[in-house]
Amino acid sequence: MSDPREHTCVTRSTYDRVARQFLERTVDRRGSRHLRRQFTVSLPPRALILDVGCGPGCDSDHFRGDGHRTIGIDLSLGMLQLAREEYGTADQVQADMRQLPCDGKADGIWACASMLHLNREDFPAALAGFRSALRPGGLLCLSVKEGQGEEWDTRYGRDCLRWFTYWREADVDSYLRRHDLDILSIEDDSSSWIRRLARRSG
């Protein structure tokens, strides 16, 4: 399967089907606690955060607990429905990360392990949309898998495929700079993930 539209449809269908399993595997968010703090410490009180690829809503719930206004955005309706069941909030939107709502109003965008599902050629367009959704000075925090090439992930079975694109640090940094997203210092002890905190300039 090489059609980018098919990659998106298959991955979305998988997340619809495995939403509960995914939540069970990822509900412990202690591993991302330090990254969340680095992201939120520079945000204003009651910041408007777009949690892009929010899945079952675990990180969104943490941000709301810190007093921020958070909108969970995901393409998988199954994930959004589960988030409502688990966390009792209606602040969610079913949308493609390449076509974000909220032009120029967001204080922060949290894209944790979601952009790895994009095809490489869609990455720049997504970043351009992120920049447009952020207010000047707004923050973007993203994480993608480090490596080379692309593949179908079969962790949930060969009938539950997810498209993964792997990245090199230099390429991610180059795309961020090209889209006027200034990279800030970030502490990172992960050897398999590329994590970046960036600020919209201008």
Side-chain angles (χ1 to χ4, degrees):
M1 300 179 207
S2 58
D3 186 344
R5 291 168 298 179
E6 191 164 13
H7 296 165
T8 299
C9 289
V10 171
T11 301
R12 176 180 58 185
S13 176
T14 290
Y15 278 122
D16 285 343
R17 295 165 64 187
V18 306
R20 176 63 64 179
Q21 291 174 260
F22 183 86
L23 175 60
E24 291 170 355
R25 286 189 176 197
T26 61
V27 68
D28 184 348
R29 307 302 289 168
R30 285 175 294 183
S32 60
R33 180 171 50 196
H34 185 57
L35 185 63
R36 284 198 309 272
R37 173 155 180 75
Q38 290 181 83
F39 173 58
T40 58
V41 71
S42 298
L43 293 174
R46 288 191 50 76
L48 175 60
I49 298 173
L50 305 184
D51 184 359
V52 178
C54 65
C58 304
D59 288 332
S60 291
D61 187 61
H62 282 290
F63 294 137
R64 292 189 190 99
D66 290 337
H68 298 298
R69 299 166 293 144
T70 306
I71 299 173
I73 298 172
D74 207 288
L75 196 57
S76 166
L77 185 58
M79 286 289 192
L80 295 176
Q81 289 172 337
L82 182 58
R84 293 188 188 105
E85 292 173 15
E86 292 295 317
Y87 300 108
T89 176
D91 295 333
Q92 288 139 353
V93 176
Q94 184 182 20
D96 191 308
M97 72 177 75
R98 294 163 292 190
Q99 298 174 326
L100 287 187
C102 192
D103 265 7
K105 297 177 182 177
D107 297 297
I109 293 176
W110 174 260
C112 182
S114 53
M115 296 185 80
L116 63 89
H117 297 307
L118 291 174
N119 289 279
R120 204 171 302 278
E121 58 268 29
D122 287 335
F123 194 83
L127 279 182
F130 288 3
R131 187 188 183 283
S132 295
L134 287 168
R135 64 168 178 79
L139 293 179
L140 166 65
C141 191
L142 67 83
S143 59
V144 293
K145 276 281 191 181
E146 186 172 25
Q148 297 182 352
E150 308 87 14
E151 68 174 352
W152 286 105
D153 174 78
T154 59
R155 182 175 310 178
Y156 292 96
R158 295 199 170 276
D159 60 341
C160 292
L161 301 174
R162 299 180 299 165
W163 182 254
F164 279 15
T165 298
Y166 299 97
W167 287 91
R168 297 185 308 165
E169 289 188 90
D171 293 333
V172 173
D173 292 348
S174 175
Y175 277 122
L176 287 169
R177 293 189 181 102
R178 275 187 245 168
H179 288 86
D180 296 321
L181 293 162
D182 299 329
I183 301 168
L184 307 178
S185 62
I186 185 168
E187 297 176 26
D188 190 2
D189 58 2
S190 171
S191 59
S192 61
W193 289 91
I194 298 170
R195 293 169 170 165
R196 290 293 183 269
L197 183 64
R199 188 186 302 277
R200 175 185 164 173
S201 59

